[in-house]
Amino acid sequence: MKGKRDKRKKIILALVLFFVFIPLLPGRQVKAAGSGQGAFQEATDDWNVMVERLETAIRNGKGENVNFSAGNSFAVPTEILEKLKGKNATLALHTSNGVTFSVSGRDIRQTGWPVRVEVGYEPVVSEASLQQVQGYPVVKQFYMTEKDPYPCRVNVHMALGEENFGNLAILYYYDENSDSLRPEDSFRITADGHAIFGLNRGDEYVVTVMKGYRVASGDTLSHIAVRHGLTLNALRTANPEIHNPDLIRVGQMVNIPNP
């Protein structure tokens, strides 16, 4: 029992450090891959059609998404990255399992090598490492066979369910050497159940959803802590974006850590 408590303390400490040094971006909103501006265009699986649409979107400069049905194995060649670099357009690459990868021209700094992704959705993370996030539902697992760094930020968009609206989704990568999960990114799930994470490389990843409580009239952070069997300090640690515990608003989502 003592060993399990120590392990949980380490995971909580890792999450605390993660949220302190990688703060939440409250203004960051997921733009559903495939929405774009102007008339909606269904994803094409014809590469030449995609390139024509991409060139049009780049000329328009309105931040349009160009949707391509890529399957679960694709490469964005250097010439496409060169076309996109610095431009206000996004290439959205639709795979299976409610997951879309995207590359935005504004995120491209290097074009020296292609973005290669071969993604799978079978569980590959060990049961022992999943014990580290026990109590938080694992909503998605995915992995890439190509584990090289990407030349630019690659966004991964996920449908996690409208029932998770307002909860915090946490992306972990699997460190095979230590058989452990390490927090990589986080995102507050939107009303339509979507989240978006930024990836710098291929790896094995796990997405969990932290339990949440929506603030009601008359609530205080202290009352919420007592109601969930927590100390006020533990609740504040899990919610570093709440700078003043006396200032919470009705409808706000509060993260509830494991006791």
Side-chain angles (χ1 to χ4, degrees):
M1 289 295 292
K2 184 177 184 299
K4 288 185 177 179
R5 285 197 298 270
D6 290 343
K7 179 174 278 190
R8 285 188 179 181
K9 286 180 180 177
K10 289 179 181 178
I11 294 299
I12 290 172
L13 178 59
L15 281 170
V16 171
L17 293 174
F18 170 65
F19 288 127
V20 168
F21 292 107
I22 309 180
L24 294 175
L25 304 177
R28 182 176 167 210
Q29 293 294 324
V30 64
K31 184 178 181 181
S35 60
Q37 297 186 18
F40 174 78
Q41 287 185 310
E42 294 287 348
T44 177
D45 58 4
D46 186 315
W47 184 262
N48 293 323
V49 171
M50 182 279 291
V51 172
E52 290 176 6
R53 290 181 179 178
L54 186 62
E55 289 172 343
T56 300
I58 289 170
R59 286 195 300 271
N60 291 341
K62 297 179 179 178
E64 296 170 358
N65 290 336
V66 175
N67 303 299
F68 181 64
S69 294
N72 289 346
S73 180
F74 60 86
V76 182
T78 55
E79 54 264 33
I80 294 295
L81 296 177
E82 282 288 351
K83 284 180 186 289
L84 260 177
K85 184 178 179 181
K87 304 300 194 300
N88 189 20
T90 296
L91 176 58
L93 301 134
H94 297 260
T95 70
S96 63
N97 209 26
V99 176
T100 296
F101 294 85
S102 70
V103 178
S104 170
R106 290 169 294 182
D107 290 334
I108 298 175
R109 299 291 180 268
Q110 299 184 65
T111 60
W113 65 98
V115 172
R116 298 185 185 277
V117 174
E118 185 173 346
V119 62
Y121 298 103
E122 301 83 12
V124 295
V125 174
S126 75
E127 287 296 326
S129 65
L130 290 176
Q131 289 296 313
Q132 298 171 11
V133 292
Q134 186 178 15
Y136 301 120
V138 174
V139 291
K140 195 80 74 177
Q141 291 192 51
F142 64 104
Y143 66 91
M144 290 81 151
T145 56
E146 297 274 355
K147 296 188 178 181
D148 295 330
Y150 299 137
C152 59
R153 173 189 170 103
V154 174
N155 290 319
V156 56
H157 309 245
M158 297 187 166
L160 302 181
E162 294 181 10
E163 68 277 8
N164 288 314
F165 166 48
N167 287 343
L168 190 67
I170 304 171
L171 176 76
Y172 298 86
Y173 80 90
Y174 178 50
D175 185 337
E176 294 177 274
N177 293 327
S178 62
D179 191 25
S180 62
L181 296 175
R182 300 185 181 276
E184 181 88 355
D185 200 359
S186 65
F187 192 89
R188 189 73 68 178
I189 299 171
T190 61
D192 59 358
H194 284 83
I196 178 173
F197 304 106
L199 305 179
N200 297 310
R201 67 193 182 284
D203 217 319
E204 289 97 8
Y205 293 99
V206 169
V207 179
T208 67
V209 174
M210 185 174 281
K211 292 175 291 187
Y213 171 79
R214 199 171 296 281
V215 175
S217 178
D219 276 338
T220 66
L221 212 59
S222 296
H223 292 156
I224 295 170
V226 170
R227 192 175 304 141
H228 290 89
L230 300 164
T231 65
L232 178 59
N233 188 55
L235 193 58
R236 293 189 65 182
T237 296
N239 294 272
E241 72 277 17
I242 300 178
H243 301 295
N244 186 341
D246 296 323
L247 293 177
I248 56 175
R249 64 184 185 279
V250 173
Q252 180 178 353
M253 187 65 74
V254 175
N255 303 320
I256 305 296
N258 283 335

